[in-house]
């Protein structure tokens, strides 16, 4: 258990956990967060077309290179993917950038392509360095990205709309959520652990205190609010600009002064 108290109350810091947990807020959102994101992206692209910005999705998606950039949000692996290898991520991995970009254009949830150290797909170690991603632009010390600007902006605007400015009580619980998840319904271990932790907090006797999540964008904010039932989702700001800022432990330290509460307790998701 990792716990740090600031003044007195409780806010939990987690390394990511995601499970489908029924909550009264869930009825306010579609059951499938991916579909919600897909519809939002399409709606914004149609709005841009109507405004005369571009006549086709292919014309809009001019390949923009962004050095030292990562896209943290992984696409949900298709049902026919090999989940025994990298949670099915090889389904969206490519050997060449041009092929990866063509695959991104054909997938509405894709906002760009990231080149990293590669995964061992197809029996060869680190043979597929290009991966389709769905958002969560962040600094990447050893990655480069090529993005479709209109799609990325549509995703970022949808995220902003899912993070309305809250009227924050003086005390609450806080989690920090790092990275994405390729498993359907975001069923990765770090997300499942956080879901269990959130449920344990909700089981506490009154008074009911709010739960906030600082996220790097790897998991959609609308999903966190609707499925985990957290009260507040905010972007985790890592503004140092140094390589050490990519260390998850450093991100947690930077989160201490970003708590929305006056009284805060930080907990890891596996607590």
């Amino acid at each position: 258990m990792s716990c740090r108290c600031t003044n007195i109350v409780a806010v939990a810091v987690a390394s990511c956990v995601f499970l489908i947990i029924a909550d009264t807020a869930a009825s306010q959102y579609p059951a499938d967060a991916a579909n919600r994101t897909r519809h939002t992206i399409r709606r914004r692209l149609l709005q841009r077309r109507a405004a005369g910005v571009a006549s086709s999705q292919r014309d809009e998606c001019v390949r923009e290179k962004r050095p030292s950039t990562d896209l943290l949000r992984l696409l949900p692996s298709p049902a026919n993917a090999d989940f025994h290898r990298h949670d099915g991520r090889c389904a969206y991995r490519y050997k060449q950038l041009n092929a990866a970009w063509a695959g991104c254009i054909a997938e509405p949830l894709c906002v760009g392509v990231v080149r990293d150290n590669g995964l061992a797909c197809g029996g060869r170690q680190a043979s597929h360095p290009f991966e389709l991603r769905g958002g969560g632009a962040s600094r990447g010390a050893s990655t480069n990205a090529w993005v479709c600007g209109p799609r990325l902006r549509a995703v970022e605007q949808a995220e902003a709309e899912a993070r309305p400015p809250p009227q924050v009580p003086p005390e609450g619980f806080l989690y920090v959520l790092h990275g994405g998840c390729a498993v359907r319904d975001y069923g990765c271990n770090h997300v499942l652990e956080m879901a269990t932790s959130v449920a344990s907090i909700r089981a506490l006797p009154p008074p009911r205190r709010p739960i906030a999540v600082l996220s790097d964008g790897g998991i959609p904010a609308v999903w966190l609010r609707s499925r985990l039932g957290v009260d507040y989702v905010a972007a985790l700001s890592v503004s140092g600009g140094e390589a050490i800022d990519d260390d998850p432990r450093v991100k947690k330290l930077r989160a201490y002064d970003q708590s929305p509460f006056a009284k805060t307790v930080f907990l890891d998701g596996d607590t």
Side-chain angles (χ1 to χ4, degrees):
M1 172 177 178
S2 173
C3 177
R4 168 168 179 163
C5 297
T6 303
N7 293 330
I8 286 183
V9 176
V11 174
V13 178
S15 296
C16 293
V17 176
F18 196 43
L19 175 59
I20 300 176
I21 288 187
D23 187 86
T24 55
S27 60
Q28 303 174 14
Y29 300 93
D32 190 333
N35 283 338
R36 178 183 175 87
T37 304
R38 188 189 303 271
H39 294 323
T40 301
I41 293 172
R42 285 175 174 168
R43 174 169 57 83
R44 298 204 184 287
L45 289 175
L46 288 173
Q47 289 173 344
R48 288 189 173 89
R49 291 192 184 98
V53 175
S55 60
S56 71
Q57 187 182 78
R58 186 174 297 275
D59 290 339
E60 290 181 10
C61 284
V62 176
R63 194 162 72 193
E64 303 175 17
K65 183 176 181 179
R66 298 194 179 183
S68 301
T69 298
D70 198 0
L71 299 173
L72 299 176
R73 186 171 303 170
L74 304 177
L75 297 182
S77 299
N80 61 351
D82 181 3
F83 287 91
H84 294 93
R85 297 173 65 85
H86 312 296
D87 291 333
R89 289 173 59 184
C90 287
Y92 292 121
R93 283 274 173 168
Y94 293 82
K95 295 181 179 180
Q96 303 294 333
L97 173 60
N98 288 340
W101 185 254
C104 185
I105 295 299
E107 170 51 60
L109 286 178
C110 179
V111 305
V113 175
V114 169
R115 178 169 187 168
D116 55 19
N117 294 329
L119 293 179
C121 300
R124 298 182 60 186
Q125 183 175 5
S127 60
H128 293 64
F130 298 97
E131 183 172 20
L132 311 190
R133 300 285 180 87
S138 176
R139 180 185 177 277
S142 59
T143 58
N144 292 318
W146 293 262
V147 305
C148 170
R151 288 188 183 184
L152 180 59
R153 288 189 289 273
V155 169
E156 291 174 341
Q157 186 169 347
E159 282 288 284
E161 292 174 356
R163 295 169 170 163
Q167 296 182 354
V168 181
E171 57 188 35
F173 296 88
L174 179 66
Y175 292 87
V176 171
L177 193 61
H178 295 147
C181 175
V183 177
R184 284 187 173 275
D185 292 327
Y186 300 102
C188 295
N189 286 339
H190 61 287
V191 183
L192 298 175
E193 289 172 351
M194 194 176 93
T196 301
S197 181
V198 169
S200 68
I201 292 175
R202 291 302 190 205
L204 294 175
R208 181 186 184 276
R209 294 185 173 89
I211 298 175
V213 175
L214 295 178
S215 171
D216 60 10
I219 305 293
V222 65
W223 191 94
L224 294 171
R225 295 186 64 195
S226 63
R227 296 300 185 85
L228 294 190
V230 300
D231 303 288
Y232 174 47
V233 180
L236 174 61
S237 175
V238 181
S239 57
E242 302 175 1
I244 192 173
D245 293 320
D246 295 326
D247 190 318
R249 295 167 296 183
V250 174
K251 291 182 179 180
K252 287 186 179 183
L253 292 175
R254 291 193 179 278
Y256 289 157
D257 61 359
Q258 296 180 44
S259 170
F261 308 110
K263 298 179 180 180
T264 300
V265 170
F266 294 92
L267 301 174
D268 280 333
D270 57 355
T271 299

